[in-house]
Amino acid sequence: MRPDRRLTLDASTADFAIDVANIVRNISLGGRRGAELGRLLSLLDALALFHHDDAVQVYCVTDRSLMTDERLTASERGTLESWYADGLLEVRPVADDRLVELASAARLRVVTDDNFLDYYREHPWLPGDRRHFLRAVAGPDGTVLVRPRIMPEPEDWQISRKEEESALLAAGLYDRRRGGARQDLLLRRWLCPEPGCPLFGPARSGGQPCPTRRGGTVRCPTHGVELQDMGARPHQVQLKVRSEGAVRHRFLLVEGESLTVGRAPTVPGGGVPLAAHLGEAALHWISRNHVVLELSGRTLMVRDISANGTRVRGPRGEDVRLPPGMARRLGRSESVVLHDSVSLELSGRNFVFDVFDEDGVQYPREGPGIARPTPVAGEAAQPTMLAPGPERGRAGGGNPGRKPGRGRGGRGSGGKRGRR
């Protein structure tokens, strides 16, 4: 998979955050130069393996100094510049404070070797933390692997010395006394007054990055200027396309939108085409226009418009066939089965910033130690940002199979060959 397809600055749907400069300059990960972009590319593959999700999404942050690091080739620096221009890479004077924000406010696991000692007083949850950080290590065959890590518990003098070093490094560059970004900032739309801002500019489409909070105001993390509040952000859900037992693709559905999903949708805008992710049997079974998904408020509806039918699978594996043309509400623990080998599932990262549950109960939002509800009941056994799951394809985790005698026609059976 192309590396840029795994990059996102939508903090509500990212699975991990990466300390890019820390990884690119880590000579223990292989390579001959002091800085090599290939180390980051290897880490993206390692995170896909670690998370058992080839479409894993990562939020990348880098120190500004990396953009002009002469140890990188001109081509590598050009790649970083293009990612920044496309709104896929966040560039900061110093990335450390931002990475701690992402771990605290967005609940992202951060891949880094940095210990962040100068942030221990401001964030007392850091010492001994074992939930929010990962380390990239070299494997025995030269590949890059991902391992959980436990943050150190240093002596007070070690923290003080690190604070002094960072104060010298950051003198005049940013305010270290800010309160930190909060999750509710992600429920608003923000506009940066700087022309052409790739993070919060008017031309940006898709999800938004995580803004920063300084001196009681919400600011652009790149330009440091106050952002304009453009109102509430529409509710959205992320769905996964699981084919042959593995996640092959993800897409967002925004409140008020209607999306057609199928082999090769023939609707304006193209819908969500699945052909590139399907096996031969599924290609012959799934219709060009197979289902329509609609999000109204927080209610996700699915409607079957296919030739061979669609099923909804419940949390216990039970299947219910959708009546043709009739819309049905999809529960958080349910999945849409288009073929024995292909299903649509709600992502566990969809609802991480929802403030209220379905019964109107408000959950605490501040601090990484605060418990939050499990976003999707069915996701509990799947890999999440805090609990990578077991390898799929083994007991209990293989392809979603059809129960004997249920539905009509399966792989190789005599159902309609609905290439409609």
Side-chain angles (χ1 to χ4, degrees), residues 300-303 312 320 322-323 326-331 334:
L300 177 60
M301 305 296 293
V302 57
R303 179 163 51 93
V312 171
V320 176
L322 286 179
M326 183 176 295
R328 180 190 188 279
R329 179 184 183 276
L330 189 69
E334 295 178 327

Side-chain angles (χ1 to χ4, degrees), residues 17-20 22 59-63 92 94-105 108 110-112 114 116 125 132-133:
I18 294 179
D19 185 349
V20 175
N22 182 272
Y59 193 119
C60 286
V61 186
T62 186
D63 294 335
R92 303 295 303 276
V94 178
D96 291 1
D97 59 330
R98 184 57 162 174
L99 292 163
V100 174
E101 274 187 351
L102 290 170
S104 174
L108 294 181
V110 178
V111 186
T112 182
D114 200 310
F116 304 112
W125 56 271
H132 296 87
F133 296 94

Side-chain angles (χ1 to χ4, degrees), residues 167-190:
L168 291 173
L169 177 66
L173 297 179
Y174 62 93
D175 182 3
R176 296 170 58 87
R177 297 172 296 177
R178 70 209 176 286
R182 299 194 310 261
Q183 292 181 32
D184 58 345
L185 301 183
L186 296 172
L187 298 176
R188 313 293 296 176
R189 286 190 177 274
W190 303 98

Side-chain angles (χ1 to χ4, degrees), residues 238-258:
Q238 184 189 65
L239 291 104
K240 300 177 180 180
V241 178
R242 188 177 299 279
S243 177
E244 304 288 349
V247 176
R248 308 291 183 182
H249 181 59
R250 302 184 188 193
F251 61 93
L252 283 176
L253 180 62
V254 179
E255 182 179 357
E257 276 189 356
S258 175

